[in-house]
Amino acid sequence: MATILSHMLLMTIPVIVIGQNNPTVRTRMGEVRGILENNVNQFRNIPYAKPPVGPLRFAKSVPSDPWTTVRDGTQFGPSCLQPPYPETDKFLPNLNKSEDCLYLNVYVPGSVVAGSNKPVMVWIHGGAFLVGQAMLYDASFLAKTGDVIVVTVNYRLGVFGFLSTMDSILPGNYGLWDQRLALQWVKTNIAEFGGNPSSVTLFGESAGSISVSLQSINPMNRGLFQRVIAESGVSLSNIAVWDNSSSFARDVGVSLNCSSTTGKLDDAYVRCMRSIPAAKLLNTQNVALFMQSDNFGPVLHPIIGPVIDHTLITDSPYKLLSNTSSPSFQFFRSLDYMAGNVNQEGSLFLERLAKIGKSKNFDFKTGVPTSVFCNYLVPIFTATFEAVSSRTISPASACSTYGRSDVAAQASSVLDCFADVNFVVPAIESLGIHSAGNILTSTYQYMFNRPSIDTPSLQSLPHWFVGAPHASEVFFLFGAQELKSKFNITVSAADMALSQRMMTHWTNFAKIGNPNMNNNPMWIPYDISQRFYMDFNSNVTLKSHLYKARVSLWLGDQSDLLSALQSVIVGRGTE
């Protein structure tokens, strides 16, 4: 009965279209006038939360107030406060940054008709939980290709989104609460744009992918989305949860005279931090992070980000997903799941490798000595992995697996090891947890192998670097034509075809939980024995057992995973 009433209520809220280029939608909160661009109706800068200022700074986001006049949704709103990032800032249509930034953008292909029930995709941007914005990603081409509605979301970043004392004083994760409130907005309002609130795919890249993965193990989100695509980042990675939040909170507080080096971080601390001008707080954050990053540790851990708050993230993701009785495990497996990587996530390690070269007296542009890798880096990599997974990895075995006699080849293999520890192996383990004995939802893996076509950026890389750098698949996913129009990068016909293929697969998955639709080769679902994955390069091919020898070093034969899931596979058979 309740479902019938809710559908009747939706049908009583009409969509109004004013002119060909100015579609107007009446949402539950008020009317929004959009703009037709790239043959897609775009509704920009829609508030989903009250401005997170004053008493709402460092607090859960609160739904926005309604408005009475037609809201102008033809221009993008400001980015959330963040450090300068020249690589992308120069391409933004709005260069303003503000603490008042909790807005989203809706891309609707074709006519805007309530009740059209188009599948919905909600994009969470990356940027190390420190930088990024929704407007950087023009979702027009993705929406048109798949005939889906795409929503891109701003969420609080840095100190504004993740300051935490690791207790009830400042529990943290405000940026994740923002994402969740945006999903609730979609659930309530997307039908007026022609979207299906019961067919929502949450997808993101890097920090956005980690966000998506953390949201997918939060059972409070049940009903807000049905599918997940995690691109270069999962909850099982050591970079998913920030373990240095308390000391960071104190350091910032001391710098702002809101705390002492020994004083308690209490309500007075919070009141003081809320009274600090936003620009001053941002500048203090930047100084504190710069000092924190001037050592090796933060490379393998978040410099800022989500914490275990015992509400959104109730325990370490590894513990939650290792317990087949946990609501987190059950919710995760109730979702269709796709996860993948680019083949050189280790590009993120290049800057730190250059600093290590200076301290260890080698030129990283030439290569890396095997002795530095085996004696210095391997113990750090294995200890990092062991701290998250509770597995014991032999440094000698890691040295044997990744060691190379040639310094250039060794440098490339260092990046492979970094990528495996932080990205590839955690993704494969999450795929195994999701797929083993699961006959109710689908599981897919991909690897993006197309080397970068961004010639200017390649010139800054060492000669031994080979592969697709971190985030390089995003340009193809949102339409390779953007590379030409926004970045003045020449795109070949083959790359346009690859982009079209990826957009088709991603939107097919969003529609039915299966990326295939008259595609050749067929993308076979991932399973624990065959481990099929789709390899995206100039040619798209189906392969199996990604990096088999390397993965075996870290996961063995995954017998412990199968043991943990025995009650599901043998005892229940289904969930």
PDB file of all heavy atoms in Angstrom, residues 57-58 159-160 163 248-260 268-269 272-286 288:
ATOM      1  N   ARG A  57      29.252  23.117  10.832  1.00  0.00           N
ATOM      2  CA  ARG A  57      30.631  22.721  10.501  1.00  0.00           C
ATOM      3  C   ARG A  57      31.020  21.552  11.406  1.00  0.00           C
ATOM      4  O   ARG A  57      30.712  21.545  12.591  1.00  0.00           O
ATOM      5  CB  ARG A  57      31.597  23.885  10.714  1.00  0.00           C
ATOM      6  CG  ARG A  57      33.041  23.537  10.375  1.00  0.00           C
ATOM      7  CD  ARG A  57      34.000  24.631  10.815  1.00  0.00           C
ATOM      8  NE  ARG A  57      34.037  25.751   9.884  1.00  0.00           N
ATOM      9  CZ  ARG A  57      34.800  26.839  10.060  1.00  0.00           C
ATOM     10  NH1 ARG A  57      35.549  26.947  11.157  1.00  0.00           N
ATOM     11  NH2 ARG A  57      34.786  27.809   9.166  1.00  0.00           N
ATOM     12  N   PHE A  58      31.668  20.553  10.858  1.00  0.00           N
ATOM     13  CA  PHE A  58      32.059  19.343  11.597  1.00  0.00           C
ATOM     14  C   PHE A  58      30.832  18.626  12.172  1.00  0.00           C
ATOM     15  O   PHE A  58      30.835  18.156  13.306  1.00  0.00           O
ATOM     16  CB  PHE A  58      33.040  19.653  12.732  1.00  0.00           C
ATOM     17  CG  PHE A  58      34.196  20.515  12.338  1.00  0.00           C
ATOM     18  CD1 PHE A  58      34.556  21.600  13.113  1.00  0.00           C
ATOM     19  CD2 PHE A  58      34.932  20.238  11.190  1.00  0.00           C
ATOM     20  CE1 PHE A  58      35.638  22.405  12.756  1.00  0.00           C
ATOM     21  CE2 PHE A  58      36.002  21.040  10.821  1.00  0.00           C
ATOM     22  CZ  PHE A  58      36.353  22.120  11.605  1.00  0.00           C
ATOM     23  N   VAL A 159      40.003  19.056   6.043  1.00  0.00           N
ATOM     24  CA  VAL A 159      39.657  19.258   7.444  1.00  0.00           C
ATOM     25  C   VAL A 159      38.162  19.482   7.618  1.00  0.00           C
ATOM     26  O   VAL A 159      37.567  19.083   8.621  1.00  0.00           O
ATOM     27  CB  VAL A 159      40.470  20.440   8.027  1.00  0.00           C
ATOM     28  CG1 VAL A 159      40.080  21.762   7.358  1.00  0.00           C
ATOM     29  CG2 VAL A 159      40.321  20.534   9.528  1.00  0.00           C
ATOM     30  N   PHE A 160      37.501  20.101   6.630  1.00  0.00           N
ATOM     31  CA  PHE A 160      36.070  20.368   6.725  1.00  0.00           C
ATOM     32  C   PHE A 160      35.245  19.084   6.627  1.00  0.00           C
ATOM     33  O   PHE A 160      34.173  18.986   7.208  1.00  0.00           O
ATOM     34  CB  PHE A 160      35.649  21.341   5.618  1.00  0.00           C
ATOM     35  CG  PHE A 160      36.362  22.657   5.680  1.00  0.00           C
ATOM     36  CD1 PHE A 160      37.508  22.871   4.920  1.00  0.00           C
ATOM     37  CD2 PHE A 160      35.906  23.672   6.507  1.00  0.00           C
ATOM     38  CE1 PHE A 160      38.182  24.080   4.979  1.00  0.00           C
ATOM     39  CE2 PHE A 160      36.578  24.884   6.571  1.00  0.00           C
ATOM     40  CZ  PHE A 160      37.720  25.095   5.807  1.00  0.00           C
ATOM     41  N   LEU A 163      37.840  16.083   9.768  1.00  0.00           N
ATOM     42  CA  LEU A 163      38.457  16.321  11.071  1.00  0.00           C
ATOM     43  C   LEU A 163      37.806  15.413  12.110  1.00  0.00           C
ATOM     44  O   LEU A 163      36.590  15.349  12.226  1.00  0.00           O
ATOM     45  CB  LEU A 163      38.287  17.779  11.483  1.00  0.00           C
ATOM     46  CG  LEU A 163      38.965  18.175  12.801  1.00  0.00           C
ATOM     47  CD1 LEU A 163      40.478  18.176  12.648  1.00  0.00           C
ATOM     48  CD2 LEU A 163      38.464  19.538  13.277  1.00  0.00           C
ATOM     49  N   PHE A 248      46.449  14.654  14.108  1.00  0.00           N
ATOM     50  CA  PHE A 248      46.223  15.761  13.173  1.00  0.00           C
ATOM     51  C   PHE A 248      45.282  16.795  13.782  1.00  0.00           C
ATOM     52  O   PHE A 248      45.520  18.010  13.684  1.00  0.00           O
ATOM     53  CB  PHE A 248      45.648  15.227  11.855  1.00  0.00           C
ATOM     54  CG  PHE A 248      45.282  16.312  10.871  1.00  0.00           C
ATOM     55  CD1 PHE A 248      46.254  16.890  10.072  1.00  0.00           C
ATOM     56  CD2 PHE A 248      43.977  16.751  10.742  1.00  0.00           C
ATOM     57  CE1 PHE A 248      45.925  17.895   9.155  1.00  0.00           C
ATOM     58  CE2 PHE A 248      43.636  17.745   9.840  1.00  0.00           C
ATOM     59  CZ  PHE A 248      44.622  18.311   9.041  1.00  0.00           C
ATOM     60  N   ALA A 249      44.203  16.324  14.432  1.00  0.00           N
ATOM     61  CA  ALA A 249      43.252  17.243  15.066  1.00  0.00           C
ATOM     62  C   ALA A 249      43.950  18.096  16.114  1.00  0.00           C
ATOM     63  O   ALA A 249      43.689  19.310  16.233  1.00  0.00           O
ATOM     64  CB  ALA A 249      42.099  16.461  15.680  1.00  0.00           C
ATOM     65  N   ARG A 250      44.840  17.478  16.862  1.00  0.00           N
ATOM     66  CA  ARG A 250      45.577  18.241  17.891  1.00  0.00           C
ATOM     67  C   ARG A 250      46.547  19.240  17.248  1.00  0.00           C
ATOM     68  O   ARG A 250      46.636  20.391  17.678  1.00  0.00           O
ATOM     69  CB  ARG A 250      46.322  17.300  18.815  1.00  0.00           C
ATOM     70  CG  ARG A 250      47.036  18.019  19.962  1.00  0.00           C
ATOM     71  CD  ARG A 250      47.659  17.056  20.939  1.00  0.00           C
ATOM     72  NE  ARG A 250      46.667  16.203  21.572  1.00  0.00           N
ATOM     73  CZ  ARG A 250      45.873  16.590  22.583  1.00  0.00           C
ATOM     74  NH1 ARG A 250      45.950  17.830  23.036  1.00  0.00           N
ATOM     75  NH2 ARG A 250      45.004  15.747  23.090  1.00  0.00           N
ATOM     76  N   ASP A 251      47.260  18.791  16.225  1.00  0.00           N
ATOM     77  CA  ASP A 251      48.222  19.683  15.578  1.00  0.00           C
ATOM     78  C   ASP A 251      47.530  20.932  15.031  1.00  0.00           C
ATOM     79  O   ASP A 251      48.026  22.056  15.195  1.00  0.00           O
ATOM     80  CB  ASP A 251      48.934  18.949  14.437  1.00  0.00           C
ATOM     81  CG  ASP A 251      49.889  17.878  14.930  1.00  0.00           C
ATOM     82  OD1 ASP A 251      50.219  17.888  16.139  1.00  0.00           O
ATOM     83  OD2 ASP A 251      50.288  17.020  14.118  1.00  0.00           O
ATOM     84  N   VAL A 252      46.399  20.730  14.378  1.00  0.00           N
ATOM     85  CA  VAL A 252      45.669  21.865  13.823  1.00  0.00           C
ATOM     86  C   VAL A 252      45.150  22.743  14.960  1.00  0.00           C
ATOM     87  O   VAL A 252      45.201  23.981  14.891  1.00  0.00           O
ATOM     88  CB  VAL A 252      44.518  21.381  12.919  1.00  0.00           C
ATOM     89  CG1 VAL A 252      43.631  22.545  12.495  1.00  0.00           C
ATOM     90  CG2 VAL A 252      45.070  20.664  11.690  1.00  0.00           C
ATOM     91  N   GLY A 253      44.641  22.118  16.005  1.00  0.00           N
ATOM     92  CA  GLY A 253      44.121  22.868  17.143  1.00  0.00           C
ATOM     93  C   GLY A 253      45.187  23.706  17.817  1.00  0.00           C
ATOM     94  O   GLY A 253      44.944  24.862  18.199  1.00  0.00           O
ATOM     95  N   VAL A 254      46.371  23.147  17.967  1.00  0.00           N
ATOM     96  CA  VAL A 254      47.473  23.893  18.581  1.00  0.00           C
ATOM     97  C   VAL A 254      47.837  25.094  17.713  1.00  0.00           C
ATOM     98  O   VAL A 254      48.047  26.210  18.215  1.00  0.00           O
ATOM     99  CB  VAL A 254      48.691  22.974  18.792  1.00  0.00           C
ATOM    100  CG1 VAL A 254      49.927  23.788  19.171  1.00  0.00           C
ATOM    101  CG2 VAL A 254      48.393  21.926  19.854  1.00  0.00           C
ATOM    102  N   SER A 255      47.907  24.902  16.417  1.00  0.00           N
ATOM    103  CA  SER A 255      48.262  25.990  15.504  1.00  0.00           C
ATOM    104  C   SER A 255      47.249  27.131  15.563  1.00  0.00           C
ATOM    105  O   SER A 255      47.602  28.298  15.358  1.00  0.00           O
ATOM    106  CB  SER A 255      48.361  25.468  14.073  1.00  0.00           C
ATOM    107  OG  SER A 255      49.390  24.508  13.949  1.00  0.00           O
ATOM    108  N   LEU A 256      45.992  26.800  15.858  1.00  0.00           N
ATOM    109  CA  LEU A 256      44.926  27.808  15.881  1.00  0.00           C
ATOM    110  C   LEU A 256      44.584  28.269  17.296  1.00  0.00           C
ATOM    111  O   LEU A 256      43.588  28.966  17.490  1.00  0.00           O
ATOM    112  CB  LEU A 256      43.674  27.222  15.207  1.00  0.00           C
ATOM    113  CG  LEU A 256      43.814  26.944  13.708  1.00  0.00           C
ATOM    114  CD1 LEU A 256      42.643  26.119  13.196  1.00  0.00           C
ATOM    115  CD2 LEU A 256      43.927  28.242  12.923  1.00  0.00           C
ATOM    116  N   ASN A 257      45.398  27.842  18.261  1.00  0.00           N
ATOM    117  CA  ASN A 257      45.145  28.192  19.672  1.00  0.00           C
ATOM    118  C   ASN A 257      43.800  27.673  20.168  1.00  0.00           C
ATOM    119  O   ASN A 257      43.162  28.287  21.029  1.00  0.00           O
ATOM    120  CB  ASN A 257      45.232  29.710  19.883  1.00  0.00           C
ATOM    121  CG  ASN A 257      46.624  30.248  19.637  1.00  0.00           C
ATOM    122  OD1 ASN A 257      47.616  29.638  20.052  1.00  0.00           O
ATOM    123  ND2 ASN A 257      46.716  31.383  18.956  1.00  0.00           N
ATOM    124  N   CYS A 258      43.370  26.563  19.616  1.00  0.00           N
ATOM    125  CA  CYS A 258      42.134  25.921  20.072  1.00  0.00           C
ATOM    126  C   CYS A 258      42.419  24.762  21.023  1.00  0.00           C
ATOM    127  O   CYS A 258      41.492  24.190  21.603  1.00  0.00           O
ATOM    128  CB  CYS A 258      41.319  25.416  18.884  1.00  0.00           C
ATOM    129  SG  CYS A 258      40.536  26.722  17.911  1.00  0.00           S
ATOM    130  N   SER A 259      43.682  24.386  21.159  1.00  0.00           N
ATOM    131  CA  SER A 259      44.058  23.324  22.083  1.00  0.00           C
ATOM    132  C   SER A 259      45.533  23.480  22.427  1.00  0.00           C
ATOM    133  O   SER A 259      46.260  24.237  21.768  1.00  0.00           O
ATOM    134  CB  SER A 259      43.796  21.946  21.474  1.00  0.00           C
ATOM    135  OG  SER A 259      44.655  21.706  20.379  1.00  0.00           O
ATOM    136  N   SER A 260      45.956  22.760  23.433  1.00  0.00           N
ATOM    137  CA  SER A 260      47.373  22.715  23.788  1.00  0.00           C
ATOM    138  C   SER A 260      47.920  21.351  23.396  1.00  0.00           C
ATOM    139  O   SER A 260      47.177  20.459  22.980  1.00  0.00           O
ATOM    140  CB  SER A 260      47.550  22.945  25.286  1.00  0.00           C
ATOM    141  OG  SER A 260      47.003  21.858  26.026  1.00  0.00           O
ATOM    142  N   ALA A 268      34.996  22.604  24.165  1.00  0.00           N
ATOM    143  CA  ALA A 268      35.599  23.925  23.983  1.00  0.00           C
ATOM    144  C   ALA A 268      36.464  23.946  22.727  1.00  0.00           C
ATOM    145  O   ALA A 268      36.506  24.951  21.994  1.00  0.00           O
ATOM    146  CB  ALA A 268      36.419  24.294  25.213  1.00  0.00           C
ATOM    147  N   TYR A 269      37.163  22.846  22.479  1.00  0.00           N
ATOM    148  CA  TYR A 269      37.965  22.722  21.258  1.00  0.00           C
ATOM    149  C   TYR A 269      37.073  22.835  20.025  1.00  0.00           C
ATOM    150  O   TYR A 269      37.384  23.560  19.068  1.00  0.00           O
ATOM    151  CB  TYR A 269      38.701  21.387  21.279  1.00  0.00           C
ATOM    152  CG  TYR A 269      39.301  20.954  19.968  1.00  0.00           C
ATOM    153  CD1 TYR A 269      40.531  21.442  19.553  1.00  0.00           C
ATOM    154  CD2 TYR A 269      38.652  20.040  19.137  1.00  0.00           C
ATOM    155  CE1 TYR A 269      41.099  21.047  18.345  1.00  0.00           C
ATOM    156  CE2 TYR A 269      39.198  19.625  17.944  1.00  0.00           C
ATOM    157  CZ  TYR A 269      40.428  20.137  17.547  1.00  0.00           C
ATOM    158  OH  TYR A 269      40.981  19.737  16.353  1.00  0.00           O
ATOM    159  N   CYS A 272      35.807  26.388  19.485  1.00  0.00           N
ATOM    160  CA  CYS A 272      36.881  27.219  18.952  1.00  0.00           C
ATOM    161  C   CYS A 272      37.111  26.931  17.473  1.00  0.00           C
ATOM    162  O   CYS A 272      37.221  27.863  16.658  1.00  0.00           O
ATOM    163  CB  CYS A 272      38.154  26.978  19.759  1.00  0.00           C
ATOM    164  SG  CYS A 272      39.574  27.962  19.211  1.00  0.00           S
ATOM    165  N   MET A 273      37.171  25.664  17.100  1.00  0.00           N
ATOM    166  CA  MET A 273      37.416  25.301  15.705  1.00  0.00           C
ATOM    167  C   MET A 273      36.286  25.779  14.794  1.00  0.00           C
ATOM    168  O   MET A 273      36.520  26.145  13.637  1.00  0.00           O
ATOM    169  CB  MET A 273      37.590  23.789  15.586  1.00  0.00           C
ATOM    170  CG  MET A 273      38.853  23.243  16.265  1.00  0.00           C
ATOM    171  SD  MET A 273      40.371  23.748  15.435  1.00  0.00           S
ATOM    172  CE  MET A 273      40.329  22.688  13.992  1.00  0.00           C
ATOM    173  N   ARG A 274      35.078  25.795  15.304  1.00  0.00           N
ATOM    174  CA  ARG A 274      33.949  26.276  14.501  1.00  0.00           C
ATOM    175  C   ARG A 274      33.962  27.796  14.345  1.00  0.00           C
ATOM    176  O   ARG A 274      33.328  28.333  13.434  1.00  0.00           O
ATOM    177  CB  ARG A 274      32.630  25.822  15.133  1.00  0.00           C
ATOM    178  CG  ARG A 274      32.315  24.354  14.872  1.00  0.00           C
ATOM    179  CD  ARG A 274      31.041  23.910  15.541  1.00  0.00           C
ATOM    180  NE  ARG A 274      30.708  22.536  15.146  1.00  0.00           N
ATOM    181  CZ  ARG A 274      29.959  21.700  15.860  1.00  0.00           C
ATOM    182  NH1 ARG A 274      29.454  22.102  17.043  1.00  0.00           N
ATOM    183  NH2 ARG A 274      29.709  20.485  15.429  1.00  0.00           N
ATOM    184  N   SER A 275      34.676  28.469  15.213  1.00  0.00           N
ATOM    185  CA  SER A 275      34.722  29.932  15.153  1.00  0.00           C
ATOM    186  C   SER A 275      35.834  30.448  14.242  1.00  0.00           C
ATOM    187  O   SER A 275      35.863  31.636  13.905  1.00  0.00           O
ATOM    188  CB  SER A 275      34.922  30.510  16.559  1.00  0.00           C
ATOM    189  OG  SER A 275      36.245  30.257  17.041  1.00  0.00           O
ATOM    190  N   ILE A 276      36.742  29.577  13.830  1.00  0.00           N
ATOM    191  CA  ILE A 276      37.875  29.991  13.005  1.00  0.00           C
ATOM    192  C   ILE A 276      37.387  30.330  11.597  1.00  0.00           C
ATOM    193  O   ILE A 276      36.626  29.547  10.998  1.00  0.00           O
ATOM    194  CB  ILE A 276      38.931  28.868  12.936  1.00  0.00           C
ATOM    195  CG1 ILE A 276      39.458  28.522  14.334  1.00  0.00           C
ATOM    196  CG2 ILE A 276      40.079  29.266  12.015  1.00  0.00           C
ATOM    197  CD1 ILE A 276      40.181  29.646  15.024  1.00  0.00           C
ATOM    198  N   PRO A 277      37.782  31.446  11.017  1.00  0.00           N
ATOM    199  CA  PRO A 277      37.421  31.739   9.625  1.00  0.00           C
ATOM    200  C   PRO A 277      37.851  30.599   8.699  1.00  0.00           C
ATOM    201  O   PRO A 277      38.931  30.016   8.865  1.00  0.00           O
ATOM    202  CB  PRO A 277      38.187  33.031   9.324  1.00  0.00           C
ATOM    203  CG  PRO A 277      38.379  33.681  10.665  1.00  0.00           C
ATOM    204  CD  PRO A 277      38.560  32.544  11.632  1.00  0.00           C
ATOM    205  N   ALA A 278      37.013  30.304   7.716  1.00  0.00           N
ATOM    206  CA  ALA A 278      37.265  29.150   6.856  1.00  0.00           C
ATOM    207  C   ALA A 278      38.612  29.232   6.147  1.00  0.00           C
ATOM    208  O   ALA A 278      39.335  28.234   6.046  1.00  0.00           O
ATOM    209  CB  ALA A 278      36.134  29.016   5.842  1.00  0.00           C
ATOM    210  N   ALA A 279      38.965  30.409   5.658  1.00  0.00           N
ATOM    211  CA  ALA A 279      40.227  30.552   4.931  1.00  0.00           C
ATOM    212  C   ALA A 279      41.417  30.264   5.840  1.00  0.00           C
ATOM    213  O   ALA A 279      42.399  29.641   5.416  1.00  0.00           O
ATOM    214  CB  ALA A 279      40.333  31.960   4.345  1.00  0.00           C
ATOM    215  N   LYS A 280      41.338  30.707   7.082  1.00  0.00           N
ATOM    216  CA  LYS A 280      42.428  30.467   8.029  1.00  0.00           C
ATOM    217  C   LYS A 280      42.516  28.979   8.371  1.00  0.00           C
ATOM    218  O   LYS A 280      43.616  28.421   8.481  1.00  0.00           O
ATOM    219  CB  LYS A 280      42.200  31.287   9.296  1.00  0.00           C
ATOM    220  CG  LYS A 280      43.341  31.204  10.306  1.00  0.00           C
ATOM    221  CD  LYS A 280      43.100  32.126  11.492  1.00  0.00           C
ATOM    222  CE  LYS A 280      44.263  32.066  12.480  1.00  0.00           C
ATOM    223  NZ  LYS A 280      44.043  32.968  13.642  1.00  0.00           N
ATOM    224  N   LEU A 281      41.375  28.329   8.527  1.00  0.00           N
ATOM    225  CA  LEU A 281      41.359  26.904   8.822  1.00  0.00           C
ATOM    226  C   LEU A 281      41.951  26.111   7.657  1.00  0.00           C
ATOM    227  O   LEU A 281      42.729  25.161   7.853  1.00  0.00           O
ATOM    228  CB  LEU A 281      39.926  26.449   9.107  1.00  0.00           C
ATOM    229  CG  LEU A 281      39.713  24.985   9.487  1.00  0.00           C
ATOM    230  CD1 LEU A 281      40.559  24.597  10.688  1.00  0.00           C
ATOM    231  CD2 LEU A 281      38.229  24.727   9.775  1.00  0.00           C
ATOM    232  N   LEU A 282      41.608  26.509   6.434  1.00  0.00           N
ATOM    233  CA  LEU A 282      42.146  25.833   5.256  1.00  0.00           C
ATOM    234  C   LEU A 282      43.662  25.999   5.188  1.00  0.00           C
ATOM    235  O   LEU A 282      44.390  25.030   4.923  1.00  0.00           O
ATOM    236  CB  LEU A 282      41.496  26.383   3.988  1.00  0.00           C
ATOM    237  CG  LEU A 282      42.020  25.830   2.660  1.00  0.00           C
ATOM    238  CD1 LEU A 282      41.721  24.335   2.548  1.00  0.00           C
ATOM    239  CD2 LEU A 282      41.418  26.587   1.484  1.00  0.00           C
ATOM    240  N   ASN A 283      44.152  27.197   5.422  1.00  0.00           N
ATOM    241  CA  ASN A 283      45.579  27.437   5.362  1.00  0.00           C
ATOM    242  C   ASN A 283      46.329  26.632   6.422  1.00  0.00           C
ATOM    243  O   ASN A 283      47.390  26.051   6.159  1.00  0.00           O
ATOM    244  CB  ASN A 283      45.862  28.926   5.555  1.00  0.00           C
ATOM    245  CG  ASN A 283      47.348  29.242   5.434  1.00  0.00           C
ATOM    246  OD1 ASN A 283      47.959  29.067   4.376  1.00  0.00           O
ATOM    247  ND2 ASN A 283      47.945  29.700   6.530  1.00  0.00           N
ATOM    248  N   THR A 284      45.743  26.549   7.627  1.00  0.00           N
ATOM    249  CA  THR A 284      46.364  25.761   8.698  1.00  0.00           C
ATOM    250  C   THR A 284      46.397  24.286   8.330  1.00  0.00           C
ATOM    251  O   THR A 284      47.380  23.586   8.584  1.00  0.00           O
ATOM    252  CB  THR A 284      45.602  25.970  10.016  1.00  0.00           C
ATOM    253  OG1 THR A 284      45.569  27.359  10.325  1.00  0.00           O
ATOM    254  CG2 THR A 284      46.262  25.220  11.159  1.00  0.00           C
ATOM    255  N   GLN A 285      45.324  23.802   7.738  1.00  0.00           N
ATOM    256  CA  GLN A 285      45.298  22.418   7.253  1.00  0.00           C
ATOM    257  C   GLN A 285      46.436  22.176   6.271  1.00  0.00           C
ATOM    258  O   GLN A 285      47.165  21.182   6.366  1.00  0.00           O
ATOM    259  CB  GLN A 285      43.968  22.127   6.565  1.00  0.00           C
ATOM    260  CG  GLN A 285      43.981  20.852   5.714  1.00  0.00           C
ATOM    261  CD  GLN A 285      42.970  20.852   4.590  1.00  0.00           C
ATOM    262  OE1 GLN A 285      41.820  20.567   4.833  1.00  0.00           O
ATOM    263  NE2 GLN A 285      43.399  21.188   3.378  1.00  0.00           N
ATOM    264  N   ASN A 286      46.607  23.074   5.315  1.00  0.00           N
ATOM    265  CA  ASN A 286      47.615  22.887   4.279  1.00  0.00           C
ATOM    266  C   ASN A 286      49.017  22.818   4.869  1.00  0.00           C
ATOM    267  O   ASN A 286      49.845  21.999   4.452  1.00  0.00           O
ATOM    268  CB  ASN A 286      47.522  24.017   3.254  1.00  0.00           C
ATOM    269  CG  ASN A 286      46.203  24.018   2.498  1.00  0.00           C
ATOM    270  OD1 ASN A 286      45.476  23.019   2.514  1.00  0.00           O
ATOM    271  ND2 ASN A 286      45.887  25.120   1.858  1.00  0.00           N
ATOM    272  N   ALA A 288      49.769  21.913   7.990  1.00  0.00           N
ATOM    273  CA  ALA A 288      49.873  20.682   8.773  1.00  0.00           C
ATOM    274  C   ALA A 288      50.080  19.470   7.867  1.00  0.00           C
ATOM    275  O   ALA A 288      50.883  18.579   8.172  1.00  0.00           O
ATOM    276  CB  ALA A 288      48.622  20.498   9.630  1.00  0.00           C
TER     277      ALA A 288
END
